[in-house]
Amino acid sequence: MRRIFGKAPEKAPAPTLDATSSRLSGRGDTLDDKIKKLDEQLIKHREAIQKLRPGPAQDNAKRRALNVLKQKRLYENQREQLYSQQYNVDQTAFMMESVQDSVQTVQAMKAAGKELKTAMKRDELDISGIERMQDDMADIMDMHNDIQEVLGQNYGVPDDIDEEELLGELDALEADMAFEAEEQAAGALPSYLQEQELPEAPQGGGHLPAEPEQGFPAMRT
């Protein structure tokens, strides 16, 4: 049969959305370049019309400018059509990518669900064993705290210290410190740095009696 009718021609693969979008974008760039060149021509025609006086020459310049303007409008309409086509292609590509992402997400979640089910069946995650482990850890922590409390006891500290007496001493010490701070703020020296005043020396007849000189008595002649 193939010898008689020949081999059927293979169908060309359908163009991809990315390739179609790129081709439309290239055609749009070409039209943009053409429109830009026509704008430059229109500027030159306008300058020429302004320089010419009313008459046949100016009418001819206007007709040439009108033809260029019609060509520009044609290219602009084609460019708008390409914009619409490219927009539709891009929207379709975006939807295709979104569908593919959704499929991959579902597949990944299914695989993760199977792995979680397998992991939850492991002996290490038995709830009863975890509760026993937590109870054992709590007992160990209590035992550790008891050991630290015993090791932290002070030796040689009397047990009959009056707590109220200690609080009174602390209050007195706090008051002294506050008073010293006020004196320093006022520029005065603390009490333990101040010089103590000495008693004054006695005035007038306050001399001590002279002690008699010791020695031999004077001899009479």
Side-chain angles (χ1 to χ4, degrees), residues 150-206:
V150 172
L151 293 177
Q153 292 180 356
N154 295 325
Y155 300 103
V157 178
D159 297 333
D160 56 349
I161 297 178
D162 188 2
E163 185 175 356
E164 294 183 359
E165 182 179 354
L166 288 177
L167 292 176
E169 292 182 3
L170 288 176
D171 293 339
L173 179 61
E174 184 178 359
D176 292 341
M177 293 175 64
F179 180 73
E180 295 291 345
E182 292 178 358
E183 286 187 345
Q184 291 180 4
L189 292 174
S191 59
Y192 60 86
L193 294 179
Q194 294 179 358
E195 295 182 358
Q196 302 293 333
E197 296 182 0
L198 300 177
E200 297 180 357
Q203 301 292 333

Side-chain angles (χ1 to χ4, degrees), residues 97-115:
E97 292 176 357
S98 298
V99 171
Q100 293 175 359
D101 293 340
S102 299
V103 172
Q104 293 179 359
T105 301
V106 173
Q107 293 176 350
M109 293 181 68
K110 286 183 178 180
K114 292 180 180 179
E115 293 180 1

Side-chain angles (χ1 to χ4, degrees), residues 12 27 41 114 156 201:
R27 289 180 58 190
Q41 293 180 16
K114 292 180 180 179

Side-chain angles (χ1 to χ4, degrees), residues 88-100:
N88 294 332
V89 170
D90 292 340
Q91 284 294 100
T92 305
F94 176 78
M95 287 188 293
M96 288 293 297
E97 292 176 357
S98 298
V99 171
Q100 293 175 359

